[in-house]
Amino acid sequence: MTTVHPHPEEPAQMTTTLAPAPARQIVPPEDRFATELAFLAAHDSGPRPPAWRLTPRAVVTFVMGSAGSALKLPDDAEVPDGVPRRLVIEDKFVGDRALVERCVVTLAGERGLLLVGEPGTAKSMLSELLSAAVCGTSGLVVQGTAGTTEDQLKYGWNYALLLAQGPTRQALVPSPVLTAMSRGALARVEEVTRCLPEVQDSLVSLLSERRIAVPELAGTDDALAHAAPGFNLIATANLRDRGVSEMSAALKRRFNFETVGPIGDLDAETALVRGQARASVERAGAPFQVDDAVLEALVTAFRDLREGRSAEGWRWNGRRR
């Protein structure tokens, strides 16, 4: 049996139901703390560096929190939809406030920021938080490895378009760094010292001249890609990992170095581990049932291994300090 449309000349109307957005294991800080970012943008209307979403003072507050006190928006401030007029800003980075302030000052200038330290000291998390607060995205990132190439730091090509049209702006595939340059945003390079030295040094001219040459497009307006105001770069480096390539002196001079140390207070580190463990377990749909004594023992053991001595002063060779 065939069903005939009553008006064959009129196509049937079709509706499309969009599937809900899939859940994410890790929510980037610009989405997770979107309410805080919108609140701080309205709370502090002071001067901002070019292309910054927040003032430098508000960036520090976003990272370090409001010390448990609720901030209040000015009476004449325009409140975005869904943003309360009073809000407690969560503390996200357990560390020295002066360190974060120096990082913000560096990013407001024209020198790159290099966060160095031992593995597990939240260098990547700090770079994500700074990027989210400054430019609204932490996703313009290149992961440094021994296989990272210069193309991943500068640009590549869509080879189908390259064969069809030759070297054109449309065929060029910008790297996250080049995208950040064009937007006036922050780019991130994780584990920069794991890249080969010749790949690292491709950042030298980029950081000093603030432009990338595209010789394939010579003779056109796109032969030079200039950085828009607000562009800067945050790199991280673990100093203890094997396979680390030493940075050249020329590249080091383009960065301000900031050392991110381990958390000094046992209680603060235990609270941080508890919060991260609870969030991880709850994402898996299971209840968090770990005794505080177990957490403290684990944190203490890792602190002893990291420092090479126990909390009581015993060193690894069995001698008391």
Side-chain angles (χ1 to χ4, degrees):
M1 180 177 180
T2 303
T3 302
V4 180
H5 194 281
H7 301 285
E9 69 281 1
E10 298 180 5
Q13 293 185 355
M14 300 180 63
T15 59
T16 302
T17 302
L18 297 178
R24 293 173 286 184
Q25 281 189 323
I26 299 178
V27 181
E30 58 267 25
D31 294 337
R32 180 181 176 186
F33 303 109
T35 300
E36 290 189 6
L37 291 171
F39 177 90
L40 288 171
H43 178 264
D44 192 344
S45 59
R48 307 174 187 185
W52 280 38
R53 301 286 186 92
L54 303 178
T55 65
R57 177 173 51 194
V59 173
V60 176
T61 302
F62 172 71
V63 175
M64 299 303 298
S66 58
S69 60
L71 302 181
K72 181 182 178 181
L73 290 179
D75 295 336
D76 58 348
E78 296 184 5
V79 184
D81 293 338
V83 176
R85 299 201 68 89
R86 296 174 62 90
L87 187 65
V88 176
I89 306 300
E90 176 185 339
D91 53 331
K92 306 166 188 67
F93 176 73
V94 181
D96 187 9
R97 186 182 185 90
L99 165 68
V100 178
E101 291 173 346
R102 292 194 302 270
C103 291
V104 172
V105 170
T106 295
L107 294 175
E110 294 185 352
R111 292 177 64 86
L113 173 64
L114 181 59
L115 302 174
V116 301
E118 299 178 4
T121 51
K123 299 180 296 297
S124 297
M125 185 189 75
L126 178 57
S127 71
E128 288 182 347
L129 292 172
L130 290 170
S131 297
V134 169
C135 63
T137 178
S138 60
L140 299 174
V141 58
V142 176
Q143 177 62 52
T145 67
T148 301
T149 64
E150 187 174 337
D151 292 353
Q152 293 172 269
L153 293 176
K154 290 187 173 181
Y155 61 88
W157 296 98
N158 180 322
Y159 288 103
L161 289 177
L162 187 64
L163 292 173
Q165 304 175 359
T168 62
R169 180 64 183 85
Q170 291 72 28
L172 186 143
V173 179
S175 71
V177 177
L178 183 54
T179 301
M181 291 177 64
S182 64
R183 296 181 184 176
L186 294 184
R188 299 169 47 230
V189 180
E190 292 289 324
E191 306 280 9
V192 65
T193 51
R194 298 189 68 85
C195 300
L196 296 176
E198 57 268 25
V199 176
Q200 294 181 27
D201 283 345
S202 65
L203 295 173
V204 172
S205 61
L206 186 152
L207 289 172
S208 58
E209 300 173 4
R210 299 287 164 150
R211 63 187 181 186
I212 291 179
V214 187
E216 296 89 346
L217 300 180
T220 70
D221 294 338
D222 298 315
L224 282 177
H226 295 271
F231 165 74
N232 213 329
L233 189 141
I234 306 176
T236 64
N238 285 332
L239 302 181
R240 285 196 177 187
D241 288 353
R242 293 184 177 181
V244 168
S245 300
E246 180 67 22
M247 294 176 65
S248 67
L251 183 57
K252 289 180 180 179
R253 288 195 297 269
R254 269 68 180 182
F255 283 104
N256 281 351
F257 282 64
E258 291 293 345
T259 301
V260 183
I263 299 174
D265 183 65
L266 173 62
D267 293 337
E269 187 169 3
T270 303
L272 177 64
V273 172
R274 182 186 300 109
Q276 295 293 326
R278 176 179 286 108
S280 179
V281 171
E282 289 177 351
R283 282 198 300 268
F288 182 74
Q289 298 176 341
V290 180
D291 190 84
D292 287 347
V294 175
L295 279 177
E296 184 174 347
L298 287 172
V299 172
T300 301
F302 276 99
R303 288 172 65 90
D304 292 349
L305 291 171
R306 185 172 61 218
E307 297 175 7
R309 62 182 178 86
S310 69
E312 294 79 13
W314 291 98
R315 292 190 176 275
W316 65 270
N317 58 7
R319 295 182 179 179
R320 193 173 182 85
R321 185 178 180 181

